[in-house]
Amino acid sequence: MTAFVPSVEQATAIAHPATPLLIVAGAGTGKTTVMAERIVHLITTGQYTEDQILGLTFTNKAAASLKERVREREAATGLTGPSLDATSPGVTVTTYHSFSASLVAGHLVELDLHPRTRLLSRAQAWQLLFGVFDEFRFEHRRVLEPSLVVDDGLLLASRCADYLVDLDALVADCDKVMRDARWSRTKDAARGRSELCQVVAAYERRKRERHLIDYGDQIRMAVRLLQDHPEVADALRVEHPVALLDEYQDTNYAQRVLLQAIYPPGSPITAVGDDMQSIYAFRGAHRENILHFTEHFPPVAQTTLTVNRRSGARLVALANRIQANVADALDKELQAKDGAEDTEITCFLAADDAEEAATIAGQVKDVGPPWSESAVLCRKRRQLIPVIVRALEALEIPVTVAGSSGLLDRPEVVDLVSWLEILAGDAPVALLRILRGPRVRIGWRDLAALARHGDLVSAAGAGDGVPDLGAEARIRLAAFGEQRAALAAAAARVPVVELAERIIERTGLWLDAGPKGRENLLRFLDLAEHFSPVDGDADLRSFVEYLHLLDGSDEDVAEATTSGQDAVAVMTVHQAKGLEFATVWVPGLAGKGSSTIFPDNRSAENALTQTSALPWWVRPDPSNLPTWKTARSMTEVADLLRQRNLEEEWRLFYVACTRAERRLTLSAAHWYPGPVTPQGPSSFYEFVAAQHDLVTELFRHAPAATDPAVAAMERRRDDRLGAPSAPSPPTEPTAPPEPAVLFSAPDHPAAVPRPVPVALSVTSLVSYARCPRQFYWSIVRPLPRRPSAAARIGVEVHRRIELRANRQLRLLEPEPEPSAAPGEWGDVSPSSAQALEASFMLSPFAELDPDRVEAPFVLAVGSRLVRGRVDAVYRRDGKVELVDFKTGRRPAAGDGGATTQLDLYALAAVQAWREDPESLRTTFCYLRADGPAELDSSDWNAARLQRVTQQLEASLSRLPDEDFAAVVGAWCQRCDFAEVCPAGRQSLFGAQP
């Protein structure tokens, strides 16, 4: 092993005398190495033996890493002697919680605890308290949703444990505030808190009755043990006279009191931490511990580690500028290591969350393997992780997701849980998912018939008794009913894990899941096998309830990962603390006002207005906040709390950025699902983009035209095109069919005047150019549209082309499905897709690397915004070629929309991507099932671009006054609205309008 050569800063910290020491270690400055070296130094200089040293940290992984580092350094220094003989227990390195747990477990009698006392998980604690909700009586609480009451109760119980506040003292404070406070809102909050105390009391009572404790109890009981039995503290101090405290900024108040009980002033303890990485206030972490360490364990020397050994000069400078936004940060300024490779920092502002995710996925693809050196760090789990994972998986990039968002959000697991919910009781949402899924495939029209018959659950079992139900739907529902009945019978007699196994096997989940999905299903079975409720039997209903609680908690149920898998890590910023990656993406720097992602402008815990907040005036530590007695106004307190919250967000941002070694990309989107208007970039994004000497902004797009929630539904609809809803109408109708009820519409569109949206899609403008009436029924007054075989073929072939475009991959063939019923693909046979794929392979694009794939854009045409995606962009024959792959027919003669799509692509290339119009070529690539692809290409120049732009602007300017008259032609045969269009019906059937 290479000899360790410490820097001057590190050498000072390592060789400091055995007296109280605070090491303020900035991000990436090698604190673990310094801790290991300090331990070895204390041993080699004969000051202490191995077994006299105690090391505390927060995670088992960190504890194991520190202990291994100590062993490595001992071996490297050739350390031998009595401290390393075979019987030596070695240095004790453990977690703060494990240390407290061992104290409690070793003194159950003194603490009056049962010998079989068990530790509760967060989900089990929720379940325990939810079981007695009916016992509570509320007169003043406004929101009585059980889950919210239980959440608030657990939060208040946790805060009481973190700050060693007795529940009786809290109740007495509530009485005093209700009596004497000036503000009615503060009195109301105290009344609600007083009622919430009964929830906390019930929780404590049920834990005692069942011999259970939670993590907060471990620390609180350990403190009580040492305070009531000082001889135990004395014995600990004799056993471990010296301690090294890792990640000290994350300790809570109770943990600090515990350490003070063991180590009085002057004890040889070393605390290592970084106040700028204090990000766990929501879990009770008390940043004041590191800020005031010198006062808590006097006399204390303080030293700093400032040389960042992870990142380059630009990222180090950015970290220092972020720290400048935190007013009371400890004095330190990071420096880059001499000769360090610089870190590239970029940022971009996307139109919406889909474009942001697609851009990140494309950049990840460009970086390439090893994938495990890349990570995407998200501020909000639910809002960001799913869309990013989908974008990465769309490019066949291996992904691993940390946390419950990994396992319980995976499609195959969601399907399995849906089956369990159906068998457990009335679950219409789960039933709808299964009925619409790829196995049962009940279409929307038949679902509407079920809904007219009654509630979905009962109607699905009625079968032949439902009028207007299609013949195929009756057959599928009957098969589903038989399967459901068989599984329901099993549910009554077999354990949950066996029931889950049967569902996986009999419903086709295992066959459909693929290798990664099967690992997730096995992980879920492991979860089911270890399910052990704290109350009642481990039956199906309690397991389903447990899953719901688990999904809403912070439990670490990680997505399955293959041993040694090389995969991109997607996680929250909080989960990334302590980790490092060569390349890091931090999305979601968006939002203003109350609609924010990063920074999260959530309301801070304000005891003046919130019932679940523990009042800072009852906590034993000073808070420097005015109380309900001394505050001049409620606004004064709210502003102070808001500022504290913002500073924690700055610290979280610091942690996110400093995980990167060689490359950091920060991003935002104008629009995320939820709010009805675009959120726009946040103050964090604008801060980053303004650092022109450090950061390169790649692009800044305008807001997307469509609400992301609506766009997501459109994408999900497109994804479902492989599941037919109803038989498609014949291509060449021989008789005028009766108009369908769902398609009923006024003969004259102007009968119901509606404004045309400002933002439009490329597809909608193609419709407008072809037939204004078609555009009206698609966009202005939208009617339902039928999925078609052609559309399903197009989706499948485009998917395969995208896979082919990823040069590191091979085309993936679907697994054989021996159990598939005839017609499982509907009209989209595997041979059809493969034949069209073969046509692509004979095209000139098969061997080219595309510059862009499914490239999104938003551009301005006149007074309107247009959004779209270009299938692929290639560089061929000296041209930038924008290609749209077609799996259908060429446009009919007279089709006004024939060139609109590529015209808009050319505008996008120039306006959004800054391409030279003289170098552009646009191409329709028609894939044929019976031969090579056919190309229709056209070269561009500035004059043509100007002419097309003027024509499009003039056309769109007429929209407000448009009467949306029908334009008949061969396209009427394939129009979804021909049945209700008088002109279309006349064209097709010779009927009179």
Side-chain angles (χ1 to χ4, degrees):
M1 180 178 292
T2 304
F4 171 68
V5 180
S7 67
V8 174
E9 288 180 332
Q10 290 175 325
T12 300
I14 291 167
H16 188 274
T19 57
L21 174 65
L22 172 63
I23 302 174
V24 181
T29 55
K31 69 177 180 62
T32 303
T33 299
V34 168
M35 288 179 67
E37 290 292 336
R38 179 156 174 75
I39 290 172
V40 172
H41 173 79
L42 292 172
I43 298 170
T44 56
T45 55
Q47 300 178 68
Y48 296 97
T49 59
E50 266 194 322
D51 54 359
Q52 289 182 302
I53 298 174
L54 172 67
L56 296 177
T57 189
F58 267 91
T59 67
N60 291 323
K61 180 179 178 181
S65 175
L66 177 58
K67 193 160 188 174
E68 179 62 25
R69 194 72 64 88
V70 170
R71 287 295 186 187
E72 289 176 357
R73 297 315 304 163
E74 287 174 337
T77 57
L79 182 59
T80 57
S83 66
L84 283 179
D85 62 31
T87 62
S88 172
V91 176
T92 299
V93 182
T94 186
T95 67
Y96 291 97
H97 277 296
S98 294
F99 180 67
S100 300
S102 65
L103 284 178
V104 172
H107 298 85
L108 294 174
V109 175
E110 293 92 329
L111 292 169
D112 195 26
L113 294 176
H114 192 276
R116 294 182 180 177
T117 297
R118 290 187 297 146
L119 181 65
L120 277 171
S121 69
R122 165 74 180 179
Q124 287 174 322
W126 208 105
Q127 190 178 31
L128 179 71
L129 195 48
F130 189 84
V132 292
F133 181 80
D134 290 340
E135 299 176 11
F136 307 142
R137 295 294 177 266
F138 300 99
E139 295 179 3
H140 301 287
R141 186 178 175 91
R142 296 178 179 176
V143 180
L144 292 181
E145 175 68 30
S147 62
L148 298 179
V149 173
V150 172
D151 282 340
D152 286 351
L154 290 177
L155 177 60
L156 188 58
S158 177
R159 291 292 183 262
C160 287
D162 292 339
Y163 289 97
L164 303 176
V165 173
D166 184 75
L167 188 60
D168 291 338
L170 181 57
V171 171
D173 176 76
C174 291
D175 292 338
K176 188 174 183 181
V177 174
M178 286 187 287
R179 184 180 64 249
D180 300 333
R182 292 174 285 167
W183 300 301
S184 59
R185 285 189 65 191
T186 302
K187 289 185 176 182
D188 289 343
R191 291 188 185 97
R193 189 178 303 117
S194 180
E195 292 183 339
L196 202 58
C197 284
Q198 68 175 308
V199 180
V200 178
Y203 177 56
E204 300 297 336
R205 183 180 68 253
R206 287 178 72 81
K207 286 191 295 182
R208 288 194 302 271
E209 292 170 352
R210 290 158 180 76
H211 312 303
L212 301 167
I213 60 173
D214 59 24
Y215 288 106
D217 292 328
Q218 285 184 332
I219 307 292
R220 178 166 53 185
M221 290 180 176
V223 170
R224 193 181 81 200
L225 172 70
L226 299 183
Q227 290 177 338
D228 294 347
H229 300 275
E231 69 279 5
V232 176
D234 292 341
L236 281 171
R237 188 163 53 255
V238 170
E239 181 182 6
H240 298 297
V242 62
L244 284 89
L245 313 175
D246 189 21
E247 303 286 9
Y248 191 69
Q249 76 280 347
D250 293 332
T251 55
N252 63 28
Y253 173 81
Q255 288 165 331
R256 187 248 291 175
V257 172
L258 173 71
L259 293 168
Q260 285 179 304
I262 303 172
Y263 299 104
S267 299
I269 62 174
T270 298
V272 184
D274 181 5
D275 60 299
M276 280 300 296
Q277 297 188 62
S278 177
I279 59 174
Y280 294 120
F282 69 99
R283 292 182 182 171
H286 195 47
R287 182 165 164 263
E288 301 299 309
N289 285 351
I290 192 169
L291 294 181
H292 299 287
F293 181 81
T294 56
E295 302 164 22
H296 299 153
F297 297 91
V300 175
Q302 180 173 327
T303 187
T304 58
L305 302 179
T306 62
V307 179
N308 182 291
R309 297 166 179 268
R310 176 185 302 155
S311 311
R314 277 186 285 185
L315 196 145
V316 166
L318 179 64
N320 288 330
R321 295 180 192 181
I322 293 173
Q323 177 177 278
N325 288 276
V326 180
D328 60 348
L330 293 174
D331 186 25
K332 61 184 175 301
E333 183 174 354
L334 290 179
Q335 306 169 55
K337 184 181 178 182
D338 289 342
E341 181 183 346
D342 205 356
T343 303
E344 177 187 359
I345 310 175
T346 59
C347 66
F348 67 84
L349 177 58
D352 59 18
D353 64 326
E355 185 189 29
E356 180 183 34
T359 303
I360 290 173
Q363 291 178 346
V364 173
K365 190 70 177 179
D366 290 341
V367 171
W371 305 112
S372 58
E373 293 186 1
S374 295
V376 184
L377 311 182
C378 302
R379 176 62 183 88
K380 293 191 176 181
R381 176 168 67 100
R382 294 285 185 190
Q383 195 162 20
L384 295 172
I385 288 180
V387 67
I388 289 172
V389 170
R390 284 195 299 269
L392 290 167
E393 290 179 340
L395 297 183
E396 293 295 316
I397 297 171
V399 184
T400 177
V401 185
S404 60
S405 60
L407 184 66
L408 297 181
D409 287 347
R410 301 306 298 162
E412 60 278 354
V413 175
V414 174
D415 283 341
L416 174 54
V417 172
S418 294
W419 266 107
L420 292 171
E421 290 173 331
I422 291 169
L423 299 174
D426 189 355
V429 175
L431 179 61
L432 180 62
R433 179 182 178 90
I434 298 302
L435 292 181
R436 282 292 298 157
R439 288 285 167 177
V440 185
R441 306 194 328 276
I442 302 298
W444 289 116
R445 188 169 293 186
D446 291 316
L447 287 173
L450 292 174
R452 289 193 295 270
H453 185 72
D455 70 273
L456 185 62
V457 176
S458 60
D464 291 338
V466 179
D468 303 325
L469 197 61
E472 183 65 23
R474 294 180 191 276
I475 296 172
R476 295 182 185 279
L477 275 177
F480 167 74
E482 292 176 3
Q483 191 173 61
R484 178 181 177 181
L487 291 171
R493 65 177 187 271
V494 302
V496 167
V497 64
E498 186 176 337
L499 175 64
E501 289 173 345
R502 294 191 184 190
I503 293 171
I504 290 170
E505 178 183 357
R506 296 183 182 182
T507 64
L509 281 176
W510 185 261
L511 182 65
D512 295 341
K516 181 67 176 294
R518 290 167 189 164
E519 289 187 36
N520 289 325
L521 291 173
L522 291 174
R523 177 71 180 90
F524 183 88
L525 292 176
D526 184 62
L527 174 69
E529 187 172 18
H530 290 87
F531 170 59
S532 177
V534 296
D535 237 358
D537 298 326
D539 57 15
L540 175 59
R541 188 176 294 275
S542 63
F543 180 62
V544 169
E545 180 185 83
Y546 175 74
L547 292 176
H548 292 165
L549 307 180
L550 195 66
D551 196 32
S553 75
D554 294 326
E555 292 290 324
D556 184 18
V557 184
E559 180 185 354
T561 55
T562 307
S563 177
Q565 182 190 21
D566 184 27
V568 176
V570 181
M571 64 185 74
T572 66
V573 181
H574 287 96
Q575 291 170 324
K577 185 171 172 293
L579 304 179
E580 58 185 45
F581 302 90
T583 310
V584 169
W585 286 263
V586 183
L589 305 183
K592 291 180 175 63
S594 59
S595 177
T596 61
I597 299 178
F598 203 178
D600 181 3
N601 289 346
R602 66 191 185 282
S603 57
E605 292 181 26
N606 187 346
L608 294 180
T609 57
Q610 295 175 332
T611 61
S612 59
L614 179 68
W616 52 86
W617 54 85
V618 302
R619 294 177 355 195
D621 66 310
S623 66
N624 299 321
L625 286 171
T627 70
W628 57 274
K629 293 180 181 179
T630 60
R632 291 172 294 181
S633 68
M634 296 179 69
T635 302
E636 174 194 11
V637 177
D639 288 344
L640 288 170
L641 291 172
R642 190 177 299 110
Q643 180 60 32
R644 289 191 176 189
N645 178 74
L646 179 58
E647 289 184 348
E648 173 140 340
E649 291 293 300
W650 277 111
R651 295 196 296 273
L652 189 62
F653 190 39
Y654 175 93
V655 169
C657 294
T658 55
R659 300 309 94 196
E661 297 174 355
R662 302 277 69 83
R663 176 176 172 181
L664 171 67
T665 299
L666 305 151
S667 64
H670 282 285
W671 219 352
Y672 296 84
V676 296
T677 57
Q679 295 100 318
S682 73
S683 57
F684 281 12
Y685 183 85
E686 298 296 8
F687 166 82
V688 168
Q691 311 304 312
H692 302 296
D693 57 327
L694 305 178
V695 182
T696 301
E697 187 171 37
L698 301 177
F699 60 82
R700 181 179 283 254
H701 286 170
T706 303
D707 181 339
V710 175
M713 286 190 287
E714 292 176 355
R715 290 194 297 272
R716 288 195 294 271
R717 179 199 63 193
D718 294 341
D719 291 342
R720 289 195 299 263
L721 288 177
S725 295
S728 299
T731 303
E732 300 292 342
T734 57
E738 290 299 318
V741 174
L742 285 177
F743 281 173
S744 62
D747 283 344
H748 187 51
V752 184
R754 298 189 182 189
V756 178
V758 172
L760 299 167
S761 68
V762 169
T763 302
S764 69
L765 292 185
V766 172
S767 294
Y768 178 59
R770 175 185 299 126
C771 174
R773 180 74 60 90
Q774 185 183 69
F775 170 84
Y776 179 84
W777 277 323
S778 299
I779 304 299
V780 184
R781 190 183 187 276
L783 296 178
R785 311 191 69 155
R786 296 186 180 93
S788 68
R792 293 194 294 276
I793 291 176
V795 169
E796 174 63 16
V797 171
H798 275 73
R799 182 186 72 83
R800 296 189 181 203
I801 290 174
E802 282 187 71
L803 292 175
R804 178 65 185 176
N806 301 323
R807 303 304 297 173
Q808 297 89 334
L809 304 174
R810 294 291 181 264
L811 283 165
L812 303 181
E813 299 296 341
E815 291 188 19
E817 299 189 39
S819 63
E824 183 80 14
W825 281 64
D827 291 329
V828 188
S829 67
S831 60
S832 299
Q834 291 169 1
L836 292 169
E837 176 192 320
S839 180
F840 167 77
M841 295 303 296
L842 294 174
S843 77
F845 307 112
E847 298 303 322
L848 296 179
D849 287 320
D851 281 5
R852 301 171 188 260
V853 176
E854 281 293 307
F857 64 82
V858 177
L859 56 86
V861 180
S863 60
R864 298 188 182 275
L865 294 177
V866 180
R867 62 180 174 85
R869 288 176 181 270
V870 179
D871 282 357
V873 181
Y874 298 92
R875 295 192 181 273
R876 187 170 74 98
D877 301 333
K879 294 285 188 179
V880 175
E881 190 163 3
L882 315 174
V883 181
D884 189 79
F885 293 99
K886 297 292 187 185
T887 56
R889 305 167 180 160
R890 292 173 178 271
D895 186 344
T899 63
T900 302
Q901 184 174 2
L902 292 184
D903 288 349
L904 288 166
Y905 286 1
L907 287 181
V910 174
Q911 187 180 123
W913 303 333
R914 303 293 188 267
E915 297 288 356
D916 181 0
E918 304 290 338
S919 68
L920 285 183
R921 174 182 293 155
T922 54
T923 298
F924 280 126
C925 178
Y926 293 95
L927 303 178
R928 297 295 177 231
D930 56 355
E934 301 171 2
L935 307 186
D936 278 355
S937 299
S938 178
D939 290 344
W940 286 72
N941 55 40
R944 179 183 176 186
L945 185 78
Q946 182 179 10
R947 183 174 64 255
V948 167
T949 301
Q950 291 171 347
Q951 291 170 348
L952 285 169
E953 289 178 349
S955 177
L956 294 183
S957 69
R958 295 193 295 269
L959 272 175
D961 302 319
E962 176 68 75
D963 63 0
F964 301 107
V967 176
V968 298
W971 47 88
C972 293
Q973 296 182 7
R974 297 185 298 277
C975 180
D976 290 324
F977 315 119
E979 297 175 19
V980 293
C981 175
R985 289 174 62 79
Q986 182 185 28
S987 172
L988 290 176
F989 313 118
Q992 293 299 315

